[in-house]
Amino acid sequence: MHQEVENVGWMRTQALQDPDSADFKTCSAAATTKGGWPSAVVLALDKSEKMHEDGNGLYVKPVLQSLGLQKAIVEAAHQHGFLAVAHSLSLQGTIDILRTGVDGMTHTSCDNPPNQELIDAYLMNNAHCNSTLATIGILTTEGQKEQDAYARDSRVQKLFSAEDIKALCACMELGKGRSSVEYTYQNVWELKAAGINIILGSDSAGPALGTAYGLTALHELALLVNKCGFTPREALRPGTLLVARRLRFND
């Protein structure tokens, strides 16, 4: 989703020229405001991502854009044929931004248990949910023990440097007060039961402690099965066919 502008050109070129590379779509830097999460200014490319982080349940309190402005960005993205997805880690923030017409969320909320208002907001637009369970567990530190086990696996250690392993065992520690990864598990369980599309995303990023490209996606699949009521067969759809349909990977 969010991607630093300076990386877009070479990543897109590699995806086009190297048949072994994954396809590449990006919203470039996400739509935010000065002092907002993560303090970037946006330009929509293949899709548009809106930041609507109110900081509830977090140690940080970003500047929040108005919902009127968010709605205008969503409408502009749709007019140009782009998907509009949004970031929020709070229950009320998620409900509010879904009501602006976004096509999906890039996280699950972690500050409160789900309620019917949340489910109705997803159903209103047929929006999808990118769960990022593993990353939220790292954000709240509740997932550290499991993340350590992945990092110490001999199959993983062959692929990562000692510095990478150290970062993989660390946590972002941004959760505060009532925030809990258990709320994210409840969210996904109930959204799935309501027929809302859950797609697989890891939110892995170079500076994001506790995450690693590929490995965190595998961790996410395991959490869908072990914590959110998916069968192994069901868990494959969010990471393959379903995510391709929702993000318009038509091949």
Side-chain angles (χ1 to χ4, degrees):
M1 296 300 164
H2 171 76
Q3 177 61 264
E4 285 72 23
V5 176
E6 59 270 21
N7 293 333
V8 171
W10 71 264
M11 293 181 76
R12 180 168 284 160
T13 298
Q14 180 167 324
L16 289 172
Q17 295 179 351
D18 182 356
D20 293 326
S21 292
D23 202 353
F24 179 70
K25 291 198 174 203
T26 181
C27 56
S28 187
T32 188
T33 190
K34 185 176 180 180
W37 182 291
S39 296
V41 180
V42 236
L43 182 61
L45 296 180
D46 296 318
K47 63 180 77 66
S48 171
E49 182 180 4
K50 263 83 26 222
M51 293 296 184
H52 192 71
E53 184 51 64
D54 56 22
N56 289 339
L58 302 178
Y59 277 106
V60 293
K61 281 288 179 186
V63 175
L64 201 59
Q65 292 185 124
S66 72
L67 289 171
L69 177 57
Q70 298 283 37
K71 186 174 177 60
I73 295 170
V74 172
E75 290 173 350
H78 288 163
Q79 286 169 8
H80 287 82
F82 296 134
L83 289 171
V85 295
H87 162 111
S88 178
L89 290 166
S90 77
L91 177 66
Q92 190 58 54
T94 300
I95 293 168
D96 289 342
I97 197 69
L98 281 167
R99 287 174 175 165
T100 67
V102 296
D103 301 291
M105 299 299 301
T106 62
H107 295 288
T108 320
S109 56
C110 63
D111 68 327
N112 278 293
N115 57 25
Q116 189 59 46
E117 192 176 6
L118 175 71
I119 292 169
D120 290 343
Y122 270 100
L123 291 172
M124 180 177 68
N125 309 319
N126 186 31
H128 64 258
C129 172
N130 177 359
S131 51
T132 65
L133 305 168
T135 294
I136 292 175
I138 295 161
L139 183 146
T140 67
T141 75
E142 294 163 283
Q144 179 150 29
K145 184 177 180 181
E146 195 169 53
Q147 186 62 31
D148 283 352
Y150 275 85
R152 304 300 179 193
D153 189 296
S154 60
R155 294 165 295 182
V156 171
Q157 297 212 330
K158 286 189 274 188
L159 302 172
F160 292 89
S161 68
E163 186 177 344
D164 291 334
I165 295 294
K166 182 179 179 181
L168 196 52
C169 292
C171 284
M172 288 180 273
E173 300 186 55
L174 289 175
K176 180 183 179 183
R178 63 180 179 269
S179 63
S180 173
V181 72
E182 294 296 330
Y183 292 146
T184 70
Y185 301 153
Q186 293 176 38
N187 263 294
V188 172
W189 194 293
E190 294 195 21
L191 292 175
K192 175 179 180 285
I196 292 154
N197 288 162
I198 307 298
I199 66 171
L200 181 104
S202 67
D203 203 30
S204 298
L209 295 175
T211 68
Y213 298 113
L215 180 63
T216 305
L218 295 175
H219 187 182
E220 190 77 12
L221 284 172
L223 289 171
L224 289 174
V225 173
N226 297 331
K227 299 291 187 179
C228 301
F230 284 71
T231 66
R233 182 185 292 270
E234 286 175 330
L236 291 175
R237 284 176 56 82
T240 55
L241 179 63
L242 197 53
V243 71
R245 285 177 176 170
R246 294 300 312 218
L247 299 185
R248 300 178 184 169
F249 286 86
N250 296 319
D251 56 352

